[in-house]
Amino acid sequence: MAALVLSAGCTTSVSGAARADSEAATQGAVEWVDQICGSLLPYLKAAGSPPKPGEAPDAQTLVRNISGYLTETEESASSAIDGMTAAGPAPVAGGDEIVGRLRSTLETMQASLRDARSRIERVDINDRQALLREVPAAIESVERLANTPGPLSDLQSSPELAQAGQEAAGCRQIAREVGR
């Protein structure tokens, strides 16, 4: 890591100073990435835990479960966006662009979640045709969302952020709990 930071920065080094600067930059990157991962964890947990249609005893419960899932996931996406903003500027080059892409992805997901929730909440549970049309469409959206690639894959494009992600407790928790 020290070699990476040095090769990206100055060509002249002072004995001891480069190592301290490298460690500080690395620690700053770990702390920042930990905030990003910590912000994303609730969203990833919510998105990865869709309702199971076969477990709902009736149409009303199924619609309520899907709506609840969509609401929780949308709200956690909003919190993730707020948390990423609160993390502040990236301490390494390229980090802000990665967060920008994550934010854009989450905003797109929010719009999809709102649309799906709006559709499922409007369905008349007494109208069999409406149920047959809207519930499978909502379930398909939910399954697609639950199977989306982990948003942290962008961190791999930056060696320093990839290393920080391996060290950050929040990112390790995502890998452990969500497997993304």
Side-chain angles (χ1 to χ4, degrees):
M1 179 63 89
L4 175 66
V5 173
L6 287 175
S7 68
C10 299
T11 56
T12 307
S13 65
V14 176
S15 179
R19 180 166 171 78
D21 289 347
S22 298
E23 288 174 5
T26 300
Q27 184 59 35
V30 170
E31 290 171 0
W32 183 79
V33 169
D34 190 50
Q35 285 185 287
I36 300 302
C37 288
S39 298
L40 289 167
L41 182 60
Y43 166 76
L44 293 172
K45 281 182 168 181
S49 302
K52 296 175 176 63
E55 294 179 3
D58 54 48
Q60 183 176 8
T61 302
L62 177 60
V63 167
R64 185 175 58 242
N65 290 350
I66 293 171
S67 178
Y69 166 81
L70 295 168
T71 299
E72 178 184 3
T73 305
E74 180 186 350
E75 289 172 356
S76 62
S78 179
S79 293
I81 292 167
D82 292 344
M84 289 188 301
T85 300
V92 298
D96 292 329
E97 291 80 11
I98 289 169
V99 167
R101 287 190 301 269
L102 285 169
R103 182 178 291 113
S104 178
T105 297
L106 289 171
E107 289 168 348
T108 299
M109 291 294 194
Q110 281 182 296
S112 296
L113 291 162
R114 268 192 302 275
D115 179 58
R117 183 171 42 86
S118 175
R119 289 181 63 179
I120 200 72
E121 288 176 347
R122 286 192 314 252
V123 74
D124 178 357
I125 61 169
N126 297 313
D127 180 347
R128 182 169 168 74
Q129 292 303 314
L131 282 170
L132 290 172
R133 181 180 60 249
E134 297 299 333
V135 170
I139 290 170
E140 180 183 337
S141 295
V142 164
E143 288 173 346
R144 238 188 351 256
L145 177 61
N147 293 319
T148 57
L152 300 179
S153 60
D154 271 350
L155 289 178
Q156 302 309 310
S157 64
S158 163
E160 189 170 3
L161 292 178
Q163 178 63 38
Q166 291 176 1
E167 296 176 26
C171 297
R172 288 194 316 263
Q173 186 175 3
I174 286 174
R176 195 173 47 253
E177 292 185 26
V178 184
R180 293 184 180 196

mmCIF file of all heavy atoms in Angstrom, residues 28-61:
data_model
loop_
_atom_site.group_PDB
_atom_site.id
_atom_site.type_symbol
_atom_site.label_atom_id
_atom_site.label_comp_id
_atom_site.label_asym_id
_atom_site.label_seq_id
_atom_site.Cartn_x
_atom_site.Cartn_y
_atom_site.Cartn_z
ATOM 1 N N GLY A 28 -7.377 7.243 7.012
ATOM 2 C CA GLY A 28 -8.467 8.122 6.578
ATOM 3 C C GLY A 28 -9.378 7.424 5.590
ATOM 4 O O GLY A 28 -10.601 7.561 5.654
ATOM 5 N N ALA A 29 -8.789 6.652 4.687
ATOM 6 C CA ALA A 29 -9.590 5.913 3.706
ATOM 7 C C ALA A 29 -10.429 4.841 4.395
ATOM 8 O O ALA A 29 -11.605 4.654 4.071
ATOM 9 C CB ALA A 29 -8.689 5.288 2.642
ATOM 10 N N VAL A 30 -9.843 4.153 5.363
ATOM 11 C CA VAL A 30 -10.587 3.115 6.091
ATOM 12 C C VAL A 30 -11.768 3.735 6.828
ATOM 13 O O VAL A 30 -12.894 3.216 6.776
ATOM 14 C CB VAL A 30 -9.670 2.342 7.071
ATOM 15 C CG1 VAL A 30 -10.473 1.434 7.990
ATOM 16 C CG2 VAL A 30 -8.631 1.535 6.300
ATOM 17 N N GLU A 31 -11.532 4.844 7.497
ATOM 18 C CA GLU A 31 -12.617 5.504 8.243
ATOM 19 C C GLU A 31 -13.720 5.973 7.298
ATOM 20 O O GLU A 31 -14.909 5.812 7.596
ATOM 21 C CB GLU A 31 -12.058 6.677 9.054
ATOM 22 C CG GLU A 31 -11.189 6.219 10.216
ATOM 23 C CD GLU A 31 -10.456 7.358 10.903
ATOM 24 O OE1 GLU A 31 -10.617 8.539 10.493
ATOM 25 O OE2 GLU A 31 -9.704 7.070 11.853
ATOM 26 N N TRP A 32 -13.338 6.538 6.174
ATOM 27 C CA TRP A 32 -14.324 7.035 5.215
ATOM 28 C C TRP A 32 -15.127 5.887 4.619
ATOM 29 O O TRP A 32 -16.351 5.931 4.566
ATOM 30 C CB TRP A 32 -13.615 7.845 4.129
ATOM 31 C CG TRP A 32 -14.526 8.468 3.128
ATOM 32 C CD1 TRP A 32 -15.258 9.621 3.294
ATOM 33 C CD2 TRP A 32 -14.820 7.991 1.818
ATOM 34 N NE1 TRP A 32 -15.971 9.879 2.150
ATOM 35 C CE2 TRP A 32 -15.728 8.888 1.236
ATOM 36 C CE3 TRP A 32 -14.401 6.891 1.083
ATOM 37 C CZ2 TRP A 32 -16.227 8.720 -0.052
ATOM 38 C CZ3 TRP A 32 -14.889 6.720 -0.198
ATOM 39 C CH2 TRP A 32 -15.797 7.628 -0.759
ATOM 40 N N VAL A 33 -14.422 4.840 4.169
ATOM 41 C CA VAL A 33 -15.107 3.683 3.579
ATOM 42 C C VAL A 33 -16.003 3.017 4.620
ATOM 43 O O VAL A 33 -17.098 2.555 4.309
ATOM 44 C CB VAL A 33 -14.081 2.679 2.981
ATOM 45 C CG1 VAL A 33 -14.738 1.365 2.616
ATOM 46 C CG2 VAL A 33 -13.430 3.288 1.756
ATOM 47 N N ASP A 34 -15.565 2.996 5.872
ATOM 48 C CA ASP A 34 -16.393 2.420 6.934
ATOM 49 C C ASP A 34 -17.707 3.188 7.068
ATOM 50 O O ASP A 34 -18.771 2.581 7.246
ATOM 51 C CB ASP A 34 -15.629 2.421 8.262
ATOM 52 C CG ASP A 34 -16.333 1.618 9.325
ATOM 53 O OD1 ASP A 34 -16.704 0.454 9.058
ATOM 54 O OD2 ASP A 34 -16.514 2.151 10.442
ATOM 55 N N GLN A 35 -17.656 4.506 6.947
ATOM 56 C CA GLN A 35 -18.880 5.311 6.990
ATOM 57 C C GLN A 35 -19.780 4.996 5.795
ATOM 58 O O GLN A 35 -20.998 4.898 5.937
ATOM 59 C CB GLN A 35 -18.557 6.805 7.006
ATOM 60 C CG GLN A 35 -18.040 7.293 8.340
ATOM 61 C CD GLN A 35 -17.861 8.801 8.301
ATOM 62 O OE1 GLN A 35 -16.941 9.309 7.662
ATOM 63 N NE2 GLN A 35 -18.748 9.501 8.969
ATOM 64 N N ILE A 36 -19.180 4.834 4.623
ATOM 65 C CA ILE A 36 -19.961 4.518 3.426
ATOM 66 C C ILE A 36 -20.639 3.160 3.608
ATOM 67 O O ILE A 36 -21.848 3.021 3.393
ATOM 68 C CB ILE A 36 -19.069 4.530 2.163
ATOM 69 C CG1 ILE A 36 -18.423 5.911 1.937
ATOM 70 C CG2 ILE A 36 -19.859 4.069 0.941
ATOM 71 C CD1 ILE A 36 -19.372 7.072 1.805
ATOM 72 N N CYS A 37 -19.876 2.174 4.034
ATOM 73 C CA CYS A 37 -20.443 0.835 4.235
ATOM 74 C C CYS A 37 -21.500 0.840 5.335
ATOM 75 O O CYS A 37 -22.548 0.210 5.198
ATOM 76 C CB CYS A 37 -19.336 -0.163 4.571
ATOM 77 S SG CYS A 37 -18.275 -0.562 3.159
ATOM 78 N N GLY A 38 -21.217 1.554 6.413
ATOM 79 C CA GLY A 38 -22.201 1.642 7.495
ATOM 80 C C GLY A 38 -23.504 2.277 7.038
ATOM 81 O O GLY A 38 -24.588 1.886 7.468
ATOM 82 N N SER A 39 -23.396 3.225 6.132
ATOM 83 C CA SER A 39 -24.594 3.870 5.578
ATOM 84 C C SER A 39 -25.392 2.911 4.706
ATOM 85 O O SER A 39 -26.619 2.961 4.663
ATOM 86 C CB SER A 39 -24.209 5.090 4.734
ATOM 87 O OG SER A 39 -23.556 6.049 5.510
ATOM 88 N N LEU A 40 -24.676 2.032 3.991
ATOM 89 C CA LEU A 40 -25.329 1.122 3.051
ATOM 90 C C LEU A 40 -25.903 -0.134 3.702
ATOM 91 O O LEU A 40 -26.821 -0.748 3.151
ATOM 92 C CB LEU A 40 -24.338 0.706 1.965
ATOM 93 C CG LEU A 40 -23.966 1.784 0.973
ATOM 94 C CD1 LEU A 40 -22.758 1.365 0.155
ATOM 95 C CD2 LEU A 40 -25.144 2.106 0.069
ATOM 96 N N LEU A 41 -25.380 -0.522 4.851
ATOM 97 C CA LEU A 41 -25.787 -1.791 5.458
ATOM 98 C C LEU A 41 -27.298 -1.929 5.668
ATOM 99 O O LEU A 41 -27.881 -2.937 5.249
ATOM 100 C CB LEU A 41 -25.032 -2.035 6.767
ATOM 101 C CG LEU A 41 -25.351 -3.354 7.473
ATOM 102 C CD1 LEU A 41 -25.009 -4.550 6.590
ATOM 103 C CD2 LEU A 41 -24.603 -3.430 8.800
ATOM 104 N N PRO A 42 -27.977 -0.949 6.268
ATOM 105 C CA PRO A 42 -29.426 -1.113 6.447
ATOM 106 C C PRO A 42 -30.171 -1.278 5.119
ATOM 107 O O PRO A 42 -31.116 -2.072 5.020
ATOM 108 C CB PRO A 42 -29.864 0.165 7.170
ATOM 109 C CG PRO A 42 -28.626 0.636 7.862
ATOM 110 C CD PRO A 42 -27.492 0.267 6.936
ATOM 111 N N TYR A 43 -29.735 -0.556 4.094
ATOM 112 C CA TYR A 43 -30.363 -0.686 2.779
ATOM 113 C C TYR A 43 -30.148 -2.096 2.223
ATOM 114 O O TYR A 43 -31.080 -2.737 1.738
ATOM 115 C CB TYR A 43 -29.809 0.354 1.806
ATOM 116 C CG TYR A 43 -30.169 0.040 0.380
ATOM 117 C CD1 TYR A 43 -31.462 0.271 -0.087
ATOM 118 C CD2 TYR A 43 -29.254 -0.543 -0.481
ATOM 119 C CE1 TYR A 43 -31.816 -0.061 -1.387
ATOM 120 C CE2 TYR A 43 -29.603 -0.858 -1.783
ATOM 121 C CZ TYR A 43 -30.881 -0.625 -2.228
ATOM 122 O OH TYR A 43 -31.238 -0.961 -3.500
ATOM 123 N N LEU A 44 -28.917 -2.575 2.290
ATOM 124 C CA LEU A 44 -28.616 -3.898 1.745
ATOM 125 C C LEU A 44 -29.361 -5.002 2.490
ATOM 126 O O LEU A 44 -29.817 -5.969 1.876
ATOM 127 C CB LEU A 44 -27.109 -4.152 1.774
ATOM 128 C CG LEU A 44 -26.299 -3.271 0.835
ATOM 129 C CD1 LEU A 44 -24.803 -3.446 1.076
ATOM 130 C CD2 LEU A 44 -26.659 -3.539 -0.616
ATOM 131 N N LYS A 45 -29.494 -4.836 3.806
ATOM 132 C CA LYS A 45 -30.259 -5.820 4.585
ATOM 133 C C LYS A 45 -31.721 -5.807 4.158
ATOM 134 O O LYS A 45 -32.327 -6.860 3.953
ATOM 135 C CB LYS A 45 -30.163 -5.520 6.082
ATOM 136 C CG LYS A 45 -28.898 -5.959 6.721
ATOM 137 C CD LYS A 45 -28.977 -5.624 8.208
ATOM 138 C CE LYS A 45 -27.922 -6.257 9.021
ATOM 139 N NZ LYS A 45 -28.073 -5.917 10.447
ATOM 140 N N ALA A 46 -32.286 -4.615 4.037
ATOM 141 C CA ALA A 46 -33.704 -4.501 3.655
ATOM 142 C C ALA A 46 -33.924 -5.034 2.241
ATOM 143 O O ALA A 46 -34.836 -5.833 2.005
ATOM 144 C CB ALA A 46 -34.167 -3.041 3.757
ATOM 145 N N ALA A 47 -33.089 -4.618 1.312
ATOM 146 C CA ALA A 47 -33.250 -5.030 -0.084
ATOM 147 C C ALA A 47 -33.072 -6.533 -0.243
ATOM 148 O O ALA A 47 -33.713 -7.153 -1.085
ATOM 149 C CB ALA A 47 -32.265 -4.287 -0.977
ATOM 150 N N GLY A 48 -32.222 -7.115 0.578
ATOM 151 C CA GLY A 48 -31.941 -8.535 0.475
ATOM 152 C C GLY A 48 -32.887 -9.434 1.230
ATOM 153 O O GLY A 48 -32.686 -10.647 1.282
ATOM 154 N N SER A 49 -33.925 -8.859 1.823
ATOM 155 C CA SER A 49 -34.878 -9.648 2.609
ATOM 156 C C SER A 49 -36.310 -9.446 2.121
ATOM 157 O O SER A 49 -37.168 -8.963 2.852
ATOM 158 C CB SER A 49 -34.795 -9.240 4.085
ATOM 159 O OG SER A 49 -33.499 -9.413 4.578
ATOM 160 N N PRO A 50 -36.574 -9.809 0.865
ATOM 161 C CA PRO A 50 -37.926 -9.597 0.340
ATOM 162 C C PRO A 50 -38.926 -10.550 0.994
ATOM 163 O O PRO A 50 -38.541 -11.602 1.520
ATOM 164 C CB PRO A 50 -37.779 -9.912 -1.147
ATOM 165 C CG PRO A 50 -36.645 -10.869 -1.208
ATOM 166 C CD PRO A 50 -35.700 -10.455 -0.109
ATOM 167 N N PRO A 51 -40.198 -10.174 0.960
ATOM 168 C CA PRO A 51 -41.219 -11.072 1.507
ATOM 169 C C PRO A 51 -41.313 -12.336 0.657
ATOM 170 O O PRO A 51 -40.988 -12.325 -0.532
ATOM 171 C CB PRO A 51 -42.501 -10.246 1.421
ATOM 172 C CG PRO A 51 -42.238 -9.221 0.378
ATOM 173 C CD PRO A 51 -40.757 -8.963 0.400
ATOM 174 N N LYS A 52 -41.734 -13.386 1.290
ATOM 175 C CA LYS A 52 -41.914 -14.665 0.585
ATOM 176 C C LYS A 52 -43.401 -14.846 0.302
ATOM 177 O O LYS A 52 -44.179 -15.065 1.220
ATOM 178 C CB LYS A 52 -41.362 -15.793 1.433
ATOM 179 C CG LYS A 52 -39.856 -15.690 1.644
ATOM 180 C CD LYS A 52 -39.342 -16.752 2.576
ATOM 181 C CE LYS A 52 -37.851 -16.711 2.709
ATOM 182 N NZ LYS A 52 -37.313 -15.500 3.285
ATOM 183 N N PRO A 53 -43.788 -14.732 -0.968
ATOM 184 C CA PRO A 53 -45.209 -14.790 -1.323
ATOM 185 C C PRO A 53 -45.916 -16.051 -0.810
ATOM 186 O O PRO A 53 -47.059 -15.989 -0.381
ATOM 187 C CB PRO A 53 -45.210 -14.754 -2.849
ATOM 188 C CG PRO A 53 -43.918 -14.112 -3.208
ATOM 189 C CD PRO A 53 -42.947 -14.501 -2.137
ATOM 190 N N GLY A 54 -45.238 -17.168 -0.815
ATOM 191 C CA GLY A 54 -45.852 -18.417 -0.381
ATOM 192 C C GLY A 54 -46.173 -18.466 1.099
ATOM 193 O O GLY A 54 -46.959 -19.311 1.537
ATOM 194 N N GLU A 55 -45.588 -17.567 1.874
ATOM 195 C CA GLU A 55 -45.824 -17.549 3.316
ATOM 196 C C GLU A 55 -47.016 -16.682 3.714
ATOM 197 O O GLU A 55 -47.447 -16.723 4.863
ATOM 198 C CB GLU A 55 -44.572 -17.093 4.056
ATOM 199 C CG GLU A 55 -43.420 -18.072 3.926
ATOM 200 C CD GLU A 55 -42.164 -17.618 4.641
ATOM 201 O OE1 GLU A 55 -42.180 -16.548 5.300
ATOM 202 O OE2 GLU A 55 -41.156 -18.332 4.536
ATOM 203 N N ALA A 56 -47.529 -15.899 2.788
ATOM 204 C CA ALA A 56 -48.689 -15.042 3.097
ATOM 205 C C ALA A 56 -49.955 -15.890 3.060
ATOM 206 O O ALA A 56 -50.218 -16.576 2.073
ATOM 207 C CB ALA A 56 -48.779 -13.895 2.100
ATOM 208 N N PRO A 57 -50.756 -15.824 4.113
ATOM 209 C CA PRO A 57 -51.964 -16.652 4.165
ATOM 210 C C PRO A 57 -53.091 -16.184 3.238
ATOM 211 O O PRO A 57 -53.990 -16.949 2.916
ATOM 212 C CB PRO A 57 -52.398 -16.573 5.628
ATOM 213 C CG PRO A 57 -51.835 -15.273 6.122
ATOM 214 C CD PRO A 57 -50.569 -15.067 5.342
ATOM 215 N N ASP A 58 -53.009 -14.913 2.804
ATOM 216 C CA ASP A 58 -54.064 -14.380 1.935
ATOM 217 C C ASP A 58 -53.523 -13.198 1.142
ATOM 218 O O ASP A 58 -52.419 -12.725 1.384
ATOM 219 C CB ASP A 58 -55.289 -13.963 2.772
ATOM 220 C CG ASP A 58 -54.953 -12.992 3.895
ATOM 221 O OD1 ASP A 58 -54.240 -11.986 3.629
ATOM 222 O OD2 ASP A 58 -55.375 -13.224 5.042
ATOM 223 N N ALA A 59 -54.335 -12.740 0.191
ATOM 224 C CA ALA A 59 -53.916 -11.649 -0.702
ATOM 225 C C ALA A 59 -53.663 -10.359 0.064
ATOM 226 O O ALA A 59 -52.704 -9.634 -0.236
ATOM 227 C CB ALA A 59 -54.967 -11.423 -1.788
ATOM 228 N N GLN A 60 -54.487 -10.072 1.033
ATOM 229 C CA GLN A 60 -54.319 -8.836 1.799
ATOM 230 C C GLN A 60 -52.969 -8.828 2.520
ATOM 231 O O GLN A 60 -52.251 -7.831 2.505
ATOM 232 C CB GLN A 60 -55.463 -8.671 2.801
ATOM 233 C CG GLN A 60 -55.385 -7.377 3.586
ATOM 234 C CD GLN A 60 -56.582 -7.184 4.493
ATOM 235 O OE1 GLN A 60 -57.417 -8.070 4.661
ATOM 236 N NE2 GLN A 60 -56.675 -6.009 5.081
ATOM 237 N N THR A 61 -52.609 -9.936 3.135
ATOM 238 C CA THR A 61 -51.325 -10.029 3.835
ATOM 239 C C THR A 61 -50.170 -9.923 2.844
ATOM 240 O O THR A 61 -49.174 -9.245 3.110
ATOM 241 C CB THR A 61 -51.238 -11.348 4.620
ATOM 242 O OG1 THR A 61 -52.333 -11.407 5.541
ATOM 243 C CG2 THR A 61 -49.932 -11.464 5.381
#
